[in-house]
Amino acid sequence: SEVDFSKISIASANVAYAVGDDGLIAKSTSPGTWELVSYGSTDFKDVHAFDEQNVLVCGSDGLMVKTTDGGATWSEVMVGTIDSLRRMHFISKTAGWVVGSEGIIFKTIDGGKTWQSLDSGVDIRLYGVFFIDDNNGFVVGNDDHVLKTTDGGETWETTVLTTGEDFRGVGF
């Protein structure tokens, strides 16, 4: 049967992870072949593979799960929200951000073990996040919103453009 992936993360030259709706987590160890894993019924939106063994996955209802053994087992990570988590971005093995519905932004400095809530100043659906370094980052979302920080997410400057579009991703 056909499987639709929401996001794929390349762990190494030999291993990739992918996620999708209805609890889908998949791992590939050879081109074109995927081992499918089911984790509940959550619609997973993003995956970040730190390496072949350590992976974070996020999705609807504030659910984040991790593996430290290459996908053999998965455990839940308490982020601190029931709103959908849509996109993650890490600049190192320890520093990362996740964004989602209702303007939520969370930051980790320990590789996703714990998360700190940041005040975005908006209550829209956020779809994309990208940080250049520890301080400078951008978040995009519904209704032409672009958010910029120069202090790691402690404060955000919001710009509303006039394209009439929802921005779904950001990168440099």
Side-chain angles (χ1 to χ4, degrees), residues 37-93:
V37 176
S38 180
Y39 192 95
S41 60
T42 294
D43 292 342
F44 288 120
K45 302 299 180 190
D46 201 6
V47 55
H48 179 80
F50 294 96
D51 53 44
E52 290 184 8
Q53 300 299 311
N54 298 285
V55 181
L56 277 176
V57 173
C58 69
S60 60
D61 302 320
L63 182 63
M64 182 177 287
V65 296
K66 71 174 180 177
T67 184
T68 58
D69 57 12
T73 61
W74 294 87
S75 60
E76 292 188 17
V77 176
M78 298 308 299
V79 178
T81 185
I82 58 170
D83 293 313
S84 290
L85 302 171
R86 300 205 166 265
R87 196 64 71 216
M88 297 180 285
H89 181 75
F90 282 81
I91 58 168
S92 68
K93 285 192 174 275

Side-chain angles (χ1 to χ4, degrees), residues 2-168:
E2 187 174 303
V3 176
D4 291 326
F5 294 135
S6 299
K7 184 80 185 284
I8 297 174
S9 181
I10 307 301
S12 69
N14 299 316
V15 176
Y17 289 87
V19 295
D21 290 347
D22 300 319
L24 175 68
I25 302 173
K27 179 181 180 181
S28 176
T29 55
S30 64
T33 304
W34 292 92
E35 173 189 340
L36 302 181
V37 176
S38 180
Y39 192 95
S41 60
T42 294
D43 292 342
F44 288 120
K45 302 299 180 190
D46 201 6
V47 55
H48 179 80
F50 294 96
D51 53 44
E52 290 184 8
Q53 300 299 311
N54 298 285
V55 181
L56 277 176
V57 173
C58 69
S60 60
D61 302 320
L63 182 63
M64 182 177 287
V65 296
K66 71 174 180 177
T67 184
T68 58
D69 57 12
T73 61
W74 294 87
S75 60
E76 292 188 17
V77 176
M78 298 308 299
V79 178
T81 185
I82 58 170
D83 293 313
S84 290
L85 302 171
R86 300 205 166 265
R87 196 64 71 216
M88 297 180 285
H89 181 75
F90 282 81
I91 58 168
S92 68
K93 285 192 174 275
T94 57
W97 295 260
V98 62
V99 300
S101 298
E102 308 304 323
I104 60 170
I105 303 175
F106 287 87
K107 177 181 181 177
T108 183
I109 57 171
D110 59 12
K113 291 180 183 77
T114 61
W115 294 87
Q116 171 194 357
S117 178
L118 303 175
D119 183 6
S120 69
V122 298
D123 61 1
I124 59 162
R125 187 171 291 159
L126 300 175
Y127 285 108
V129 55
F130 188 89
F131 272 72
I132 300 164
D133 55 35
D134 286 334
N135 293 312
N136 299 288
F138 296 86
V139 170
V140 296
N142 276 3
D143 304 324
D144 289 326
H145 280 73
V146 178
L147 288 69
K148 177 185 176 186
T149 185
T150 57
D151 58 13
E154 295 301 317
T155 60
W156 295 89
E157 175 186 323
T158 302
T159 301
V160 180
L161 304 176
T162 58
T163 66
E165 299 294 329
D166 296 338
F167 297 126
R168 300 289 177 140

